[in-house]
Amino acid sequence: MVELRKRKTPPPAPERVTKKKPGPKPKAPKSSAAAVKDAVVEKVEAVKEAVIGGSNGEETEKTTPAGPPSVGDTIDLSAFGGEFETNEGQKTTLAKLVEESKAGVVLFTYPKASTPGCTTQACLFRDSYEPLTATGFSIYGLSSDSPKANTTFKTKQKLPYTLLCDTSSTLIKAIGLAKMPKGTQRGVFAIDKSGRVLAAEPGTPAGTVEVIRKLVGEAPEVPKEAEGEKAKEKEDVEMAKTADEVADTAEKIDSNEA
């Protein structure tokens, strides 16, 4: 008989030892001078980011301060005051008017075309038109009247400048000369080619003209008859105030009937 022998079980294979990768070498501590340099570089980059709006060199969006601008403010004209019409029915914006001007734009606001106070104001700007525009400023009358009403006003009084029809009062509100709840406050607003505000204030018919005379450096006219002229000017101011009150009352009546 053949004798069967049992096969011996082979010993288990030895486990492989995995070599660990050496970790990163610890960085040597920076010297105080290097640490200061890195802090300065980081600060410079932060300032660049704030000024130019990032590494791509694009400028940050300009913002106009909330509320009406004051003298000395520089405003972003790209959307300031919205769109309105000339008395001829042409669409325009303050940005376009400034661009077309030589030195800047003067706006005088009035409550209602063809009323006594507004007629006095418009005619004062008419009579001083040449000296007031000699330095390159363009003059415009501004109200919430319709193109038809302003064209009639311009034709009748032979006004040498364009009248602006801001029927929605977007520009009038933007320059701070809107009268609440509805209406326009008499005043004057001037701006140069860079968007810097040179004048922004309410005033009387004669007072608004005087602001621009001072702005362009024109000497005030010497009255021919001192006493008589002063009395007449005072009377004109009183009439203008009364006319404004009548215009405001008419607007309130119209708004109530609407």
Side-chain angles (χ1 to χ4, degrees):
M1 294 179 64
V2 180
E3 185 179 356
L4 297 175
R5 295 182 180 180
K6 292 183 179 179
R7 185 178 294 179
K8 294 182 179 181
T9 304
E15 295 182 1
R16 292 183 180 182
V17 178
T18 305
K19 293 183 179 181
K20 293 184 179 180
K21 293 183 180 180
K25 294 182 179 180
K27 293 183 179 180
K30 291 185 178 180
S31 64
S32 59
V36 170
K37 183 179 178 181
D38 288 349
V40 171
V41 171
E42 185 177 348
K43 185 70 175 177
V44 170
E45 291 299 323
V47 171
K48 283 183 180 179
E49 180 73 20
V51 173
I52 64 174
S55 59
N56 59 358
E58 293 182 359
E59 294 185 358
T60 54
E61 184 180 354
K62 293 181 180 180
T63 57
T64 299
S70 303
V71 174
D73 290 345
T74 298
I75 58 178
D76 179 10
L77 291 169
S78 59
F80 185 84
E83 192 177 57
F84 42 88
E85 290 182 284
T86 66
N87 62 276
E88 295 176 346
Q90 296 178 344
K91 300 283 187 180
T92 189
T93 62
L94 182 58
K96 289 181 182 178
L97 298 180
V98 171
E99 184 181 357
E100 293 167 358
S101 70
K102 292 180 180 179
V105 166
V106 171
L107 305 173
F108 71 88
T109 57
Y110 52 94
K112 197 169 184 65
S114 298
T115 56
C118 300
T119 300
T120 298
Q121 183 184 22
C123 290
L124 285 172
F125 274 99
R126 176 197 66 192
D127 297 341
S128 298
Y129 181 74
E130 289 187 9
L132 294 182
T133 57
T135 56
F137 282 94
S138 298
I139 292 178
Y140 297 92
L142 172 66
S143 73
S144 59
D145 293 298
S146 67
K148 182 179 179 181
N150 269 329
T151 297
T152 300
F153 188 29
K154 174 180 169 67
T155 302
K156 186 176 180 180
Q157 302 303 330
K158 299 179 181 178
L159 305 178
Y161 44 79
T162 299
L163 299 180
L164 305 176
C165 312
D166 186 18
T167 54
S168 58
S169 295
T170 54
L171 178 57
I172 295 170
K173 290 175 182 176
I175 62 177
L177 290 171
K179 186 183 291 184
M180 301 305 291
K182 182 181 178 182
T184 303
Q185 187 175 14
R186 192 186 310 284
V188 65
F189 181 86
I191 189 169
D192 67 11
K193 292 283 285 185
S194 68
R196 185 166 62 95
V197 179
L198 306 176
E201 60 184 90
T204 63
T208 53
V209 179
E210 190 62 28
V211 169
I212 306 306
R213 280 180 179 162
K214 291 179 180 178
L215 179 64
V216 301
E218 184 203 2
E221 295 179 356
V222 178
K224 296 178 181 178
E225 299 176 3
E227 295 299 327
E229 289 293 326
K230 286 182 180 179
K232 186 177 183 303
E233 183 177 351
K234 185 177 180 181
E235 182 181 350
D236 288 343
V237 170
E238 293 299 325
M239 288 179 61
K241 289 181 179 179
T242 303
D244 288 348
E245 291 175 1
V246 172
D248 289 342
T249 303
E251 286 184 0
K252 289 178 182 178
I253 292 174
D254 291 342
S255 62
N256 290 333
E257 292 179 351

